Amino acid sequence: MASTVQTAAGAHFPKAPADIADKASLTTWIAVVAGMIGAFMSILNIQITNASLLDIEGGIGTGADNGAWISTSYLIGEIIVIPLTGYFSRVFGFRRYMIASTFFFAVFSMACAFAHDLGTMIAMRGLQGFAGGVLIPMAFTMVVTKLPKPQQPVGLALFAIAVTFAPAIGPTIGGYLTENYGWQKIFFINAIPSAIMIIALWFTLEKDKMQLGLLKEGDWAGIITMAIGLSSLQTLLEEGNKDDWFGSPFIVKLAVIAVVFLVAFVWIELVVKKPLVDLRLFRNRNFGVGTVANMLVGFALFGTVYVLPQYLGQVQGYNAEQIGNVLAWTGLPQLLIIPFVPLLMKHFDVRYIGVAGIALFALSCFMNVNMSLDYSGDQFFVPNIVRAVGQALILTPLTAIATSSIAPKDAANASGLFNMLRNLAGAVGTAALETIITKREQFHSNIIGQSVTVYRDDVRQRLDEMTRYFMSHGISDVAMAKHQAVIALGNTVKRQALVMGFSDTFAVIAVMLAIAAVALLFARKAPPSGGASVAH
């Protein structure tokens, strides 16, 4: 009878004999695929509300300024729990903790559909994120501990689908459900996949014992400082642009709290005997380089999924379903491309595959830097296809590079750091891009406004044409028609400035990706089969 090996995450997996070490069993693959469903659904739910925020805000009776918390509260829950997953899976047992998290993820998700006010919605979304965030690093850990080395690229490709396809397709699914069935149905989408997961994991993961004694040995100082620091940072990022950043005493207090507690967290993790997060992993060159590139990609990945719906909604007046249809072309092609990435990794240096993917992602953003008022869904088709091809080539090689020399005992820690920092970078990116849109719109509005004056013949001619238009459409008073013409011209200037502001954000994203591509070249060459010696 085969012996078992206990991973860093606390799970007991069969130790494969040497003669079958290059091939996982059907049971193993069922467990891995079930884990990927969880990671996919967890990441999907970060973005699934983006295209439907206006409908949800109306449904629970909150203002547009507060509606963003519907997405942010979920992300806060995820960011906090991801680094805790390795520790809690040892305490409660990998199998038990993963199944329980899947169950509560579905329960809190459905509870969101019954929320009637913002406070309840924020609480339920936060709990949903806290339960669902567990599923991301656990899926990652299963790949690098349960699959043999030759098959890890396939597992990493599945994980890449969850990481890149889920946020791209999220607004599409959310928009379709909202427009056709109501926004409440968004939160029931997790029920059936969660049930399938629980059944599959129940029969494929081996039972393991709880180790409640580890609660006494827990790095509770690290847990508390991390939770307070990250929550303060995320709140600062969410509220900063709305409250004029450091012009607000509230934002200043949040910044002080975030800095103090995060610095304390880093210090604690470096000196404590059993750290919650082993920051020394960054001494591993490939893990450090891979994580930095992963953060920059996270900035771009979450950033584009935020910017595109905002542009289509604010500038082009698209509804939730129309926004989702445009974003679908960023997600759907990835399903066709990602399965072939492991084959590429067998024949080419994974660093160059990753760099090529990042370069294509950057190119797609540069294709959007010269948008005009006529730039809408059809014009996004080609850039979105290029973006889809690029994203499909990024995450699998990037993950293989980062994990290429990670030991089995460090797999859970590495997974928590890798995934938490990507999501955190995505939150930073969303907040930064929101601020850039606001500031650059103001900048372009001032520049355009200086040239649009009544002292120019073409401006006076345009005002006269618009005045006649309003008079021919029901306004008999000349002064009122002129007033409406001035307002309409001002709105045109503002809309043009907004388009230019959005164009600038794509330029920023492209530059961040260019930095990521350069950073990835500093990694050492990883094994062509993808990586990961951590399987043994």
Side-chain angles (χ1 to χ4, degrees), residues 31-41 139-140 142-143 155-156 158-159 162:
V32 170
V33 170
M36 292 307 154
I37 292 174
F40 179 86
M41 298 307 297
F140 184 97
M142 289 172 73
V143 171
L156 295 178
L158 291 173
F159 187 77

Side-chain angles (χ1 to χ4, degrees), residues 96-320:
R96 184 180 291 101
Y97 186 45
M98 193 166 186
I99 291 175
S101 297
T102 305
F103 173 77
F104 285 112
F105 173 64
V107 168
F108 289 128
S109 176
M110 290 184 285
C112 292
F114 298 99
H116 295 292
D117 58 76
L118 181 62
T120 304
M121 177 64 80
I122 289 174
M124 292 301 102
R125 282 285 283 173
L127 291 170
Q128 183 195 6
F130 194 82
V134 170
L135 306 178
I136 302 172
M138 281 192 156
F140 184 97
T141 301
M142 289 172 73
V143 171
V144 298
T145 58
K146 200 169 184 184
L147 293 179
K149 183 177 179 179
Q151 292 185 316
Q152 284 188 15
V154 178
L156 295 178
L158 291 173
F159 187 77
I161 290 176
V163 172
T164 60
F165 178 63
I169 204 68
T172 303
I173 296 174
Y176 174 80
L177 292 175
T178 298
E179 290 299 316
N180 292 280
Y181 303 103
W183 63 266
Q184 291 89 346
K185 296 299 185 291
I186 291 175
F187 299 108
F188 287 99
I189 195 173
N190 302 309
I192 295 178
S194 295
I196 294 172
M197 272 187 66
I198 291 172
I199 294 170
L201 295 174
W202 183 273
F203 289 105
T204 57
L205 289 181
E206 291 188 16
K207 294 181 179 180
D208 46 5
K209 295 180 180 180
M210 291 194 293
Q211 303 179 62
L212 298 180
L214 292 176
L215 290 172
K216 297 178 181 179
E217 304 173 12
D219 177 17
W220 292 105
I223 292 173
I224 293 169
T225 52
M226 182 200 70
I228 295 175
L230 289 179
S231 298
S232 300
L233 176 61
Q234 182 61 46
T235 305
L236 180 154
L237 293 171
E238 176 58 39
E239 297 293 316
N241 188 53
K242 186 170 62 178
D243 293 345
D244 194 28
W245 291 103
F246 295 104
S248 164
F250 175 63
I251 296 300
V252 172
K253 291 176 183 177
L254 282 175
V256 171
I257 293 172
V259 169
V260 169
F261 279 89
L262 289 177
V263 169
F265 168 70
V266 171
W267 180 79
I268 290 168
E269 299 312 289
L270 292 175
V271 300
V272 74
K273 288 183 178 180
K274 295 182 179 180
L276 170 70
V277 177
D278 188 1
L279 298 178
R280 294 177 182 84
L281 287 172
F282 286 112
R283 292 186 299 190
N284 181 307
R285 178 171 164 179
N286 273 19
F287 181 76
V289 170
T291 301
V292 169
N294 185 48
M295 291 174 66
L296 294 169
V297 169
F299 179 103
L301 183 65
F302 285 80
T304 51
V305 176
Y306 168 77
V307 170
L308 271 173
Q310 292 295 317
Y311 172 81
L312 293 170
Q314 292 183 33
V315 178
Q316 303 299 341
Y318 277 34
N319 63 29

Side-chain angles (χ1 to χ4, degrees), residues 178-482:
T178 298
E179 290 299 316
N180 292 280
Y181 303 103
W183 63 266
Q184 291 89 346
K185 296 299 185 291
I186 291 175
F187 299 108
F188 287 99
I189 195 173
N190 302 309
I192 295 178
S194 295
I196 294 172
M197 272 187 66
I198 291 172
I199 294 170
L201 295 174
W202 183 273
F203 289 105
T204 57
L205 289 181
E206 291 188 16
K207 294 181 179 180
D208 46 5
K209 295 180 180 180
M210 291 194 293
Q211 303 179 62
L212 298 180
L214 292 176
L215 290 172
K216 297 178 181 179
E217 304 173 12
D219 177 17
W220 292 105
I223 292 173
I224 293 169
T225 52
M226 182 200 70
I228 295 175
L230 289 179
S231 298
S232 300
L233 176 61
Q234 182 61 46
T235 305
L236 180 154
L237 293 171
E238 176 58 39
E239 297 293 316
N241 188 53
K242 186 170 62 178
D243 293 345
D244 194 28
W245 291 103
F246 295 104
S248 164
F250 175 63
I251 296 300
V252 172
K253 291 176 183 177
L254 282 175
V256 171
I257 293 172
V259 169
V260 169
F261 279 89
L262 289 177
V263 169
F265 168 70
V266 171
W267 180 79
I268 290 168
E269 299 312 289
L270 292 175
V271 300
V272 74
K273 288 183 178 180
K274 295 182 179 180
L276 170 70
V277 177
D278 188 1
L279 298 178
R280 294 177 182 84
L281 287 172
F282 286 112
R283 292 186 299 190
N284 181 307
R285 178 171 164 179
N286 273 19
F287 181 76
V289 170
T291 301
V292 169
N294 185 48
M295 291 174 66
L296 294 169
V297 169
F299 179 103
L301 183 65
F302 285 80
T304 51
V305 176
Y306 168 77
V307 170
L308 271 173
Q310 292 295 317
Y311 172 81
L312 293 170
Q314 292 183 33
V315 178
Q316 303 299 341
Y318 277 34
N319 63 29
E321 185 173 5
Q322 291 171 320
I323 291 172
N325 290 338
V326 174
L327 265 69
W329 289 108
T330 305
L332 293 175
Q334 296 185 46
L335 289 179
L336 301 176
I337 299 169
I338 289 178
F340 294 99
V341 175
L343 184 63
L344 290 174
M345 291 169 63
K346 291 182 178 179
H347 301 286
F348 299 97
D349 190 324
V350 292
R351 294 173 300 177
Y352 301 143
I353 298 173
V355 168
I358 295 172
L360 286 172
F361 193 176
L363 175 63
S364 74
C365 294
F366 277 124
M367 293 171 73
N368 295 144
V369 298
N370 293 310
M371 295 189 297
S372 66
L373 290 173
D374 298 324
Y375 203 100
S376 57
D378 292 340
Q379 286 70 41
F380 277 109
F381 179 78
V382 174
N384 281 0
I385 292 293
V386 174
R387 188 169 297 136
V389 174
Q391 289 180 1
L393 296 175
I394 294 174
L395 260 296
T396 308
L398 198 59
T399 309
I401 289 169
T403 61
S404 60
S405 54
I406 295 296
K409 65 182 179 63
D410 295 322
N413 260 326
S415 173
L417 269 174
F418 191 76
N419 290 288
M420 184 268 285
L421 289 175
R422 182 188 59 249
N423 283 14
L424 183 60
V428 172
T430 300
L433 294 173
E434 182 182 18
T435 301
I436 290 170
I437 292 170
T438 301
K439 298 300 182 184
R440 295 302 291 177
E441 178 200 356
Q442 294 171 355
F443 171 80
H444 289 300
S445 184
N446 290 335
I447 297 297
I448 298 173
Q450 291 174 8
S451 60
V452 180
T453 71
V454 292
Y455 300 106
R456 292 181 51 173
D457 292 338
D458 54 345
V459 174
R460 289 198 299 271
Q461 181 180 352
R462 177 64 173 163
L463 286 172
D464 289 341
E465 291 173 355
M466 295 173 73
T467 299
R468 289 194 294 271
Y469 171 83
F470 284 115
M471 291 186 70
S472 65
H473 285 76
I475 300 179
S476 58
D477 183 71
V478 177
M480 180 61 70
K482 286 184 177 180

